[in-house]
Amino acid sequence: MTSPAQRPPPAPAAARRAFLRHSAAAAGAALAFPRFVPAAVLGRGGATPPSERITLGFLGVGTQGGGHLFGGAWTYVPGGFLGREDVQVLAVCDVRRARRKDAARRVEEHYAGRSGRARYRGCAAEVDFRAVLARPEIDAVLIATPAHWHATMSVMAASAGKDIYCEKPTAVTLQESRAVRDAVRRHARVYQAGTQQRSEYGGRFRLACELIRSGRLGRLREVYCHRDGGAIAWSSQPAGPARPVPADFDWDLYLGPAPLLPYDGNTGPHRFDVGELNWGQHHSDVIQWALDADETGPVEAFLEDGRSALRYASGVVVHGRPHPDETVGGSGGACFVGTEGRIAVDRESLVSSPVRLVREPLRPGEVRLRRNRGHVEEFLDCVRSRGRTSCHEDVAHHSASALLLGGVARQLGRAVRWDSRAETFPDDDGARRLMSLATRPPWRI
Amino acid sequence: MRRAGRLSWGLVVLGALSAARAAGLPEVAPGWARLGEDRQPAERVEACQQLARVGGAEAVPGLRRFLGDPVIGLQARHALEVIPDPAAGAALRAAVMETTGEVRLGVVASLGRRGEVAAVPALIRLLRGTAGSIDPPSRELAAACAFALGAIPDAGAVEALREAWNGVARAEVADALLRQAHARLDSGQTEAAAADFAWLRSRVRDAGGRVAAERGLLRAAAGSDDHTRWLEALVSADPERRAAAAGLNGEWPRMEAAALADRMRQLRPEEQAARVTEWARGDPPPPAGLLRELAESPHAGLRWVALAALGRSGDATDIERLLARAAGAGAEAEAARLALTEIRDPRADEALAGFSRGAEQAIRREALRALGQRGGAVAAAALGRAARDPVESIRNTAWRGLSASGGDADVAALVRWVADPRGPAEGAAAARVLVAILERLAPESVPAELAAAWSAGSVAERASLAPVIAALPLAPVRVWLREAVGAADPRLREAARRALAGSGDPGLLEDQLALALGGEEEDLREAATRAGLRNAATAAGRGRRSWFLGILARAPLTLPQKRSLLAELGRGSSADDLDLAERFLADAECWSEAVAAVVGLAPRLPDAAVASAALELVLRSGLDAEQERAAEAARRGLRPRP
């Protein structure tokens, strides 16, 4: 605790804002580290022997990937994968040199500390993810790259025999989504989508889905999803004036399957997003779960006041906007409305109107959904047992498809019908043409 | 040359425009007109994208012309890929032999995605390296051809892929053959698919590939009623076969439960756990006998899964076993508790009620807890009886159970219990339970028994009932409570003020603010502050949150009040919250709490730059190590959440 004498002078909002103005140009210095030679022998003092550890490669170590790797403010994995005794991180990959080198250094320092050695070298820092996929000793990869890469990397990882934990959105076109599902199946891989709400947040989402599927709402009529549909659209021009590509940044690999553009400084993970592609799959995943639609999906996507909406075979309509009278649902959730009231859930809250709907415990005979020890734990368990995760390839495919269908309706500006068995738009050539995107060779999916 | 090219392009455009008009496609014409090199790149790309959406046969010649264009070649190729007219396929087939480099790689992939059967001979020639021009180098081209041939359902493609097995693109060829085999399986060609998988399994060298081929074989066998192959693979000594069989439970049409149960014992514990997890999702669930056996496993993960699954499969005979496990601690106890709640056997309630009267206190408590979760008449009777048990922990468990299970039918009895308890402790406990039940039931009007008891009750009875009415967010009881707060009788007045201070009714926010700022007793002021903050943060009170917090922050407060306020500000997400929290950074008495509030709310601020500046200032203000870590973590989190 800081003593009163050490306490700072008042910091009113005005001072903070003045500071803000002056710090706008501040930037962190890039650090360069030598390339490390892989060497994977740890496991002392009763720790999990190396032979039983799951070996991982991290594709993308920015905010998302770095959070998974090291833990952090947003993550649901305390200490990250690095803090786990049953995991050994053998490689990190990023198109930013400073970022990958820094991540590799932190991994190696951590392992050195854990093994009581002065030095440890065994985490490669790669710019090209194909170098990670080519290493047979790596069991699984965690994909946390820009969204337009997710599906291509997933398919290539599956083909290379890797198990996969992939951030959302798991695909950015319907064709990609199907390709991921098929590749994971074809190669008998374990896949977990980063839609962790089925596992985390105190079971709040699971309970909401159990209550809804147990009929607490009577007949479910509509769902307020909070998010619009999503899609990707390749930019037809740079976001700003062309600039030289920074020496420590691989612009070509950043773009990957996207069309080649002059470097413009926009290197965000969602630069090609249309609509709510970033968060949308969290919401659609929960809705699919609540609707018991993990093996199917909507039958129609249409527009309501410029935002997308979905209709399911049961007649339930999912609106791509918040409920007008309900604030809960914004962080990954939804508001479900039935004949007996409504239930709203997000990462912070589970509420209902009337309140008894969620306060009444589940009774014998009511629906119980799959439980696990945690989203990451379940993935690692399944890597060992070869079982299926909660958000396996089929679940992810249908959740992503629900989101992307809204994106197709948005792009067309009209309603589209969807056959979830045949996975096509019946008698709708215009919509079918939006199931894929132009893909820059040599990338293909 | 350039001029000649422009001239020919102009002719193409003119021809296409007239063709488009003839075809009744006026929307296509603008796209055509904007494809040429004399237009801006963005306009050309958009024109290509428009043609990809609506173009037909008339668009094909122009698009083909631009396949090698550095600006729009990619989009032109995609347009040809998605235009359903056969002319687009023909154009790509022609282009595949005329193009080179990455353009050719793209054309090859597009042919695969179109499923162009007519392209198979050309693709085979390229794959074999017997075509005239092998550019790009054979590795890339062979990989692209393998991808395309894997996507086109054609026997000749399969044959060519097999021939290319020892070529330069083994991995892509293996993937393509797997695709072909799965496509055959999906189209009902089971025997052909099985032959494909067997061919692959005999040749693939890497373990992952063998597992994939073996799983394909198992899928091919799934169509028959004979599950021997799958069961054998599941318990095979060969880890690859076991891996291939794993994860298929969900897809298996109808499992032979007895046979699987028999094989389960040959699996490793973690494999058994995975199988049970999958199986428990299906219908019928795993047999109870197997689960009872697995619940005794030395492997903790397996015990957890088996115990949880007993909820669906077990019956009243499992109650004793589950109670013994539930009386412990940790994940296994949680699994047993879940199962106790879930067991559907109607005799289970009676069995639990019997155990609730037993000798061992831990078992009694678990039985009461389960009854509370299960609800119903048997549970209500058992819980009511236990609520007057001499043992305090049993009484408390019973009260909690009544809170969870009590319904409309129990309100009258509990009102009487509150108004006329055996002692103050029982009255308080009954009041807490009644409050919990009423909060859960959320009646739209005051229950008749409660209204009658309040209107006809003595001062002592009203004082006992004050916490109950304060919990009902209904207009009539707010009037009663306000009257009681101003009552002449000090006992009723005191009870009403304490009830008000703890009420969860957002409709009493103004009353709570008055009590928080003007109450005479510090503990009442602090309780009213805490309750008011809770109510202001609820959905019902949210509209007045800023108002409540703003007034509170500017008033003279006790230290506990400041701490409560700062804790709520730390859960906030607005710039107003930040401003209020920052006011307290100058207050030596609660500086640490103010720092924690700023650190807590900063990552949720809509403006990351404002949040970053606030954290920078806090970080430079002499934090201790723990505070600094928290502030740094918050700063790292100043990005879009996952």
Side-chain angles (χ1 to χ4, degrees), chain A residues 1-4 6-17 19-20 23 63-64 71-76 106 130 155 159-161 167-168 175 182-189 196 201 233-237 257-260 278-279 282 295 326-328 331 347-349 351 354-357 359-368 370-373 378 381 384-390 392-394 411-412 429-430 432-434 436-445, chain B residues 41-42 45-46 49 51-56 74-75 77-78 81-84 102-103 105-106 109 113 140 143-144 147 172 174-175 178-179 182 186 208 211-213 215 219 242-244 246-248 250-251 268 270-271 274-275 277-278 281 304 338 341-344 371-375 404-406 408 436 438-442 539 542 575 578-579 582 585-589 591-592 603 609-610 612-614 616-617 620-624 627 633-634 636-637 639-642:
Chain A
M1 187 65 73
T2 310
S3 71
Q6 293 173 300
R7 284 177 191 153
R16 180 232 314 150
R17 285 166 191 145
F19 175 82
L20 175 65
S23 63
T63 306
Q64 295 295 110
W74 66 261
T75 61
Y76 46 89
R106 290 177 65 185
R130 288 171 292 194
V155 169
S159 300
E167 268 298 336
K168 51 78 201 165
Q175 185 189 62
D182 290 350
V184 171
R185 251 191 193 190
R186 194 160 68 237
H187 291 278
R189 293 296 96 201
Q196 70 275 10
Y201 309 106
W234 301 137
S235 317
S236 57
Q237 54 191 338
L260 197 59
N278 182 14
W279 265 78
H282 277 313
E295 293 175 10
E326 180 58 73
T327 54
V328 171
S331 58
R347 294 183 180 183
E348 290 79 32
S349 308
V351 298
V355 293
R356 66 193 306 173
L357 295 179
R359 290 188 179 167
E360 194 76 34
L362 283 167
R363 306 298 188 195
E366 293 197 286
V367 172
R368 309 276 174 162
R370 175 171 173 157
R371 285 163 164 71
N372 60 43
R373 300 192 296 129
E378 183 188 55
D381 284 346
R384 289 185 200 94
S385 69
R386 313 311 298 167
R388 297 188 99 191
T389 60
S390 292
H392 57 71
E393 65 277 11
D394 278 313
Q411 287 174 292
L412 287 172
D429 171 51
R432 280 199 293 267
R433 295 187 190 201
L434 292 178
S436 65
L437 271 176
T439 306
R440 186 163 62 102
W443 312 109
R444 54 182 168 257
I445 193 162
Chain B
V45 170
E46 281 164 16
Q49 288 172 339
L51 288 172
R53 287 190 182 193
V54 299
L74 181 62
Q75 306 288 354
R77 197 240 311 155
H78 182 250
E81 183 183 311
V82 297
I83 289 174
E102 290 203 338
V103 177
L105 293 179
R113 276 194 287 269
E140 282 296 332
F147 168 83
E172 288 81 1
D175 182 56
L178 275 173
R179 284 168 70 120
H182 279 280
D186 292 344
V211 170
R215 185 168 289 185
R219 280 216 168 96
R242 291 165 86 107
L248 277 179
E251 299 173 42
R268 288 186 291 134
E270 58 268 34
E271 291 174 330
R275 301 291 82 70
T277 301
E278 286 289 333
R281 288 198 280 183
W304 185 87
L338 178 68
T341 304
E342 202 179 354
I343 282 181
R344 301 179 188 201
L371 284 166
Q373 291 296 307
R374 296 172 66 87
S405 65
D408 293 308
L438 290 175
E439 282 179 349
R440 179 157 50 80
L441 299 179
R542 204 168 281 178
L578 179 62
D579 285 344
E582 283 177 336
L585 289 171
D587 186 337
E589 193 177 44
W591 174 76
S592 287
V610 172
S612 178
E616 282 293 338
L617 277 186
R620 295 193 306 176
S621 63
L623 306 182
D624 63 26
Q627 288 172 321
R636 284 198 299 275
R639 294 180 185 101
R641 286 183 292 171

Side-chain angles (χ1 to χ4, degrees), chain B residues 414-432:
Chain B
L414 281 161
V415 166
R416 287 194 297 276
W417 218 337
V418 173
D420 185 21
R422 285 186 182 175
E426 183 178 284
R432 280 196 300 274

Side-chain angles (χ1 to χ4, degrees), chain B residues 405-498:
Chain B
S405 65
D408 293 308
D410 302 306
V411 170
L414 281 161
V415 166
R416 287 194 297 276
W417 218 337
V418 173
D420 185 21
R422 285 186 182 175
E426 183 178 284
R432 280 196 300 274
V433 168
L434 188 51
V435 165
I437 291 172
L438 290 175
E439 282 179 349
R440 179 157 50 80
L441 299 179
E444 292 176 359
S445 60
V446 185
E449 305 84 357
L450 183 58
W454 183 265
S455 58
S458 65
V459 166
E461 287 171 342
R462 284 189 178 194
S464 300
L465 287 167
V468 177
I469 65 163
L472 280 173
L474 298 170
V477 296
R478 289 182 196 129
V479 175
W480 298 348
L481 189 65
R482 285 170 186 143
E483 286 171 357
V485 165
D489 186 279
R491 202 166 31 150
L492 178 57
R493 193 170 63 238
E494 174 68 7
R497 282 157 60 85
R498 293 205 172 274

Side-chain angles (χ1 to χ4, degrees), chain A residues 21 72 125 136 142 160 164 185 194 202 275-276 292 322 333 353 367 370 384 419 422 434:
Chain A
R21 283 196 299 276
L142 188 144
I164 300 151
R185 251 191 193 190
E276 309 212 46
D292 194 10
S353 176
V367 172
R370 175 171 173 157
R384 289 185 200 94
D419 180 339
L434 292 178

Side-chain angles (χ1 to χ4, degrees), chain A residues 361-366 368 371, chain B residues 291-292 303-356 361-376 378-379 397:
Chain A
L362 283 167
R363 306 298 188 195
E366 293 197 286
R368 309 276 174 162
R371 285 163 164 71
Chain B
L291 296 176
R292 288 169 192 141
R303 288 201 304 275
W304 185 87
V305 167
L307 284 168
L310 259 179
R312 276 193 71 199
S313 305
D315 57 34
T317 64
D318 293 301
I319 295 290
E320 185 169 10
R321 173 200 326 268
L322 290 168
L323 280 171
R325 299 293 181 86
E332 198 171 315
E334 286 300 317
R337 287 174 179 172
L338 178 68
L340 281 168
T341 304
E342 202 179 354
I343 282 181
R344 301 179 188 201
D345 186 342
R347 297 168 300 165
D349 287 332
E350 291 292 355
L352 284 165
F355 282 108
S356 76
Q361 286 187 25
I363 299 293
R364 292 183 68 197
R365 282 197 297 273
E366 286 307 323
L368 290 167
R369 192 209 56 78
L371 284 166
Q373 291 296 307
R374 296 172 66 87
V378 174
T397 307

Side-chain angles (χ1 to χ4, degrees), chain B residues 86 145 157 162 172 216 229 467 545 575 592-593 619:
Chain B
C145 289
R162 287 187 181 184
E172 288 81 1
R229 185 182 184 93
R545 182 177 178 278
S592 287
E593 288 83 357
L619 271 165

